[in-house]
Amino acid sequence: EAGVAQSPRYKIIEKRQSVAFWCNPISGHATLYWYQQILGQGPKLLIQFQNNGVVDDSQLPKDRFSAERLKGVDSTLKIQPAKLEDSAVYLCASSPFVAGSNEKLFFGSGTQLSVL
Amino acid sequence: GENVEQHPSTLSVQEGDSAVIKCTYSDSASNYFPWYKQELGKRPQLIIDIRSNVGEKKDQRIAVTLNKTAKHFSLHITETQPEDSAVYFCAANSGSARQLTFGSGTQLTVLP
């Protein structure tokens, strides 16, 4: 079974620039999550989708972060403009269970973002 | 919102010894508690999970115990091996969307 695919693997940008991350979940997984993992901390949920609908985006800084999952499969997360504190690993995860379960999350390898 | 605290932040054990990592949570409505293992530079992987209707679950050398009254749960690894060295995260679900809140992680080092 193919895993959760993410790209790019690494990204270095200057503050105030924009950046986009891409995620392709495991085939058939309806629920998709974006997490932010700052060095030395546990993952923090940014946004959760079920198919192409947003289930929870309460922790997404909407003034600079946006995410979409237009066809209910792959997803993009964008930051515009980036701040120094956005330096982190951005993890995408998917689950075979419906939203509201949050069980059996399968994570991608993440995109490591460095904002200079 | 949910607050998950994890202890210790670092743990070193000799190969063959047992390791215990403890987490507490704040939301009494939480009913799902997974543990993830993250090796250096790799993705977090689910190693075991427990629901609130059971007190203990085992899978070979790992086990998780849950005390709902005290709102804490623990990961137990027996007969530790060098390949157990990693960061371990606990989590608990909460909120209307049952989102997972993760602990801050425990760096486990198994010394040969």
Side-chain angles (χ1 to χ4, degrees):
Chain A
E1 174 181 85
V4 176
Q6 288 189 247
S7 67
R9 188 74 177 88
Y10 303 94
K11 191 72 177 178
I12 301 173
I13 61 172
E14 295 186 349
K15 60 183 180 183
R16 291 188 290 274
Q17 286 187 323
S18 62
V19 64
F21 314 125
W22 174 82
C23 171
N24 187 254
I26 294 173
S27 178
H29 283 195
T31 309
L32 184 148
Y33 311 79
W34 283 102
Y35 281 86
Q36 179 193 59
Q37 186 175 23
I38 293 173
L39 187 64
Q41 299 181 17
K44 172 190 165 186
L45 179 68
L46 293 175
I47 189 167
Q48 177 183 346
F49 292 93
Q50 180 168 346
N51 297 313
N52 60 349
V54 175
V55 174
D56 183 357
D57 64 357
S58 58
Q59 299 188 87
L60 186 73
K62 298 180 186 64
D63 58 334
R64 298 184 301 106
F65 287 64
S66 64
E68 60 183 15
R69 194 185 184 200
L70 291 175
K71 296 183 179 180
V73 181
D74 54 349
S75 175
T76 56
L77 175 70
K78 297 180 181 178
I79 307 175
Q80 182 179 9
K83 293 185 175 181
L84 297 177
E85 58 261 36
D86 298 332
S87 294
V89 175
Y90 290 84
L91 293 164
C92 178
S94 69
S95 169
F97 295 96
V98 298
S101 165
N102 286 283
E103 299 182 13
K104 312 296 185 190
L105 267 61
F106 292 82
F107 283 91
S109 298
T111 296
Q112 186 171 326
L113 174 67
S114 297
V115 182
L116 306 178
Chain B
E2 175 79 281
N3 183 39
V4 177
E5 295 191 355
Q6 184 171 347
H7 300 280
S9 56
T10 60
L11 178 61
S12 292
V13 299
Q14 290 293 137
E15 183 177 357
D17 287 350
S18 295
V20 180
I21 303 170
K22 299 180 179 181
C23 289
T24 61
Y25 61 98
S26 60
D27 186 354
S28 56
S30 296
N31 61 3
Y32 175 68
F33 309 90
W35 286 88
Y36 284 81
K37 175 183 179 182
Q38 187 173 28
E39 296 177 52
L40 186 63
K42 296 191 176 181
R43 68 191 74 190
Q45 290 190 303
L46 178 69
I47 56 171
I48 195 168
D49 55 8
I50 191 169
R51 296 174 183 272
S52 58
N53 58 347
V54 298
E56 183 176 3
K57 184 178 179 180
K58 289 184 178 180
D59 183 2
Q60 299 182 336
R61 295 186 298 107
I62 60 174
V64 57
T65 59
L66 171 66
N67 183 326
K68 287 179 58 180
T69 303
K71 290 191 282 189
H72 68 71
F73 56 112
S74 300
L75 178 70
H76 304 253
I77 306 174
T78 59
E79 302 173 18
T80 54
Q81 301 168 3
E83 52 264 38
D84 295 330
S85 295
V87 178
Y88 292 81
F89 293 98
C90 63
N93 66 349
S94 67
S96 58
R98 315 307 296 157
Q99 63 174 264
L100 289 180
T101 299
F102 284 81
S104 54
T106 296
Q107 172 70 62
L108 173 64
T109 302
V110 180
L111 305 170

